[in-house]
Amino acid sequence: TLRGLLRAIDRHVTSVSDSAQWRDYVLVQARSGADAATEQERTALAQDLTFLINNIAHHQALLKAYNIGLDPDQRNKEMVEAVA
């Protein structure tokens, strides 16, 4: 649903980039007038995007947990921040 999509955007996109551009875009698209068939398609798309955003964030967390794909200095900095 739209609410779940906005939560995922706030949690994983807006908090990282400090930009509300994606949230604003989703709200504009959701508020534009649509018929029932388009509304069902939008609901399905919102659920798919929510699933995708949450899973990408989870995948990134797993990669960080296994120290894959991070610069050693960045990894040490994040480890210190996590402990503190």
Side-chain angles (χ1 to χ4, degrees), residues 13-79:
V13 179
T14 305
S15 64
V16 174
S17 66
D18 291 331
S19 172
Q21 179 180 4
W22 286 106
R23 180 182 172 82
D24 295 341
Y25 176 76
V26 168
L27 285 173
V28 167
Q29 293 299 316
R31 290 179 180 156
S32 64
D35 58 0
T38 307
E39 191 63 34
Q40 290 176 349
E41 291 173 3
R42 287 185 183 182
T43 302
L45 181 61
Q47 289 174 344
D48 291 344
L49 286 173
T50 303
F51 181 75
L52 179 66
I53 291 170
N54 287 331
N55 281 331
I56 288 173
H58 179 70
H59 187 72
Q60 287 177 334
L62 282 175
L63 290 175
K64 286 182 182 179
Y66 290 115
N67 295 326
I68 298 173
L70 287 178
D71 181 46
D73 294 332
Q74 180 69 23
R75 179 177 57 233
N76 290 337
K77 179 182 173 187
E78 289 183 7
M79 288 173 63

